Amino acid sequence: MFPEIFRIHVVFFVLSGFLITTLLLEEYDLSGRVSLRNFFIRRGLRLLPLAYAATVIIVVFSVVSGASVSYYLKSALTCTFYVGNYFTLLFSGHEHLAPAFRHFWTLAVEEQFYLVWPAVVTVALGRSARAHRTLLVITILGVVAGLFVRACFLIQGVTVSVFTFSHIDALLIGSVVAQLRHMGKDVNPWILDRLGHWLMGVVLAVCAFSPMFNLEANLGMRYTLVAISGAALIVASGGSRSSKILSIRPLVEVGKFSYGLYVIHWPVYLGV
């Protein structure tokens, strides 16, 4: 059961929450405000063209190969509007998105987060003399609320693994790390190295040895543990040794194209 908790998409959610919050905080520091209009334009230009191009190509190739036209068009429609993670609710006759679209649910989760979180950050930063502390408190409360809601559904036996609220804790844990790093910009890199490695060690120990792991899994805590592991990696990346490793050119280049690789990797894998 130990390897089961390592769901890599959870780490991507942590990174998304971290990166988006970092961008918003940096803009606030530079201009004293966050422009939601500019944020959505930048996100749209970066994410939409490739996703929509991939959607068209997937539909064409799938139909040519003899797949169900109706099934793929329904999947394409939900992915176009970034609600693919609610496909089973919109089209009750299917359990999942069409095979080549199966990974698009994670993009839907992130886009739905992007629609709400920048507005929350903007309001929190603009309405308080202690803006950053207010935002941090809101974020932590969001993590707790996400954990509670997911646990309530899982206790009732409802499968919610692809729903947005099931991963709000991971997205907001990434945001918490971004805020803490922003508040402690001058922290010694050596401390970040040690803190990140220590946190990762604690998470691995809990996963490997906790007698309560079955209960944790049933309540969805395995996702949170993976999210904390992702947070530990981000913290450690601010340290001197980790930053040198992550600055290796091949890793930097992969990072630049990571979104495109993610969008196309699953259809290519199925085609091969």
Side-chain angles (χ1 to χ4, degrees), residues 31-249:
S31 62
R33 59 187 294 270
V34 174
S35 172
L36 294 180
R37 176 177 176 273
N38 291 338
F39 171 83
F40 289 124
I41 289 175
R42 289 194 301 268
R43 288 291 92 193
L45 291 175
R46 169 167 167 70
L47 303 178
L48 298 183
L50 180 58
Y52 287 167
T55 298
V56 172
I57 293 171
I58 289 172
V59 169
V60 171
F61 273 85
S62 299
V63 171
V64 169
S65 66
S68 169
V69 175
S70 174
Y71 189 13
Y72 269 87
L73 287 179
K74 290 176 181 177
S75 297
L77 180 64
T78 57
C79 291
T80 298
F81 290 99
Y82 286 93
V83 290
N85 57 324
Y86 294 109
F87 182 77
T88 55
L89 297 181
L90 297 170
F91 300 102
S92 57
H94 302 283
E95 293 185 3
H96 304 286
L97 286 163
F101 285 111
R102 200 65 52 87
H103 62 310
F104 267 65
W105 74 268
T106 61
L107 303 181
V109 169
E110 291 186 342
E111 287 301 318
Q112 292 160 27
F113 177 73
Y114 294 163
L115 285 176
V116 176
W117 186 241
V120 173
V121 172
T122 301
V123 172
L125 293 179
R127 297 296 179 88
S128 172
R130 297 180 176 180
H132 291 290
R133 291 184 182 180
T134 300
L135 179 60
L136 183 59
V137 170
I138 291 173
T139 310
I140 293 173
L141 290 176
V143 172
V144 175
L147 287 169
F148 177 76
V149 172
R150 183 176 63 207
C152 288
F153 275 93
L154 292 176
I155 288 172
Q156 298 298 319
V158 180
T159 301
V160 293
S161 59
V162 299
F163 294 165
T164 302
F165 64 80
S166 290
H167 301 286
I168 200 67
D169 58 327
L171 290 158
L172 292 182
I173 284 172
S175 179
V176 168
V177 175
Q179 293 172 58
L180 293 177
R181 285 191 65 171
H182 184 265
M183 294 176 180
K185 293 178 180 178
D186 299 325
V187 175
N188 190 315
W190 183 88
I191 296 177
L192 295 177
D193 255 334
R194 295 299 181 273
L195 179 60
H197 296 155
W198 177 84
L199 185 58
M200 178 67 78
V202 170
V203 173
L204 292 176
V206 170
C207 294
F209 303 112
S210 174
M212 298 296 292
F213 183 74
N214 286 335
L215 176 60
E216 292 166 359
N218 292 335
L219 294 179
M221 286 301 294
R222 63 185 181 277
Y223 296 115
T224 305
L225 290 171
V226 176
I228 295 173
S229 300
L233 290 174
I234 295 173
V235 171
S237 70
S240 55
R241 287 188 298 173
S242 300
S243 61
K244 288 180 181 178
I245 295 173
L246 295 175
S247 298
I248 297 174
R249 187 171 181 80

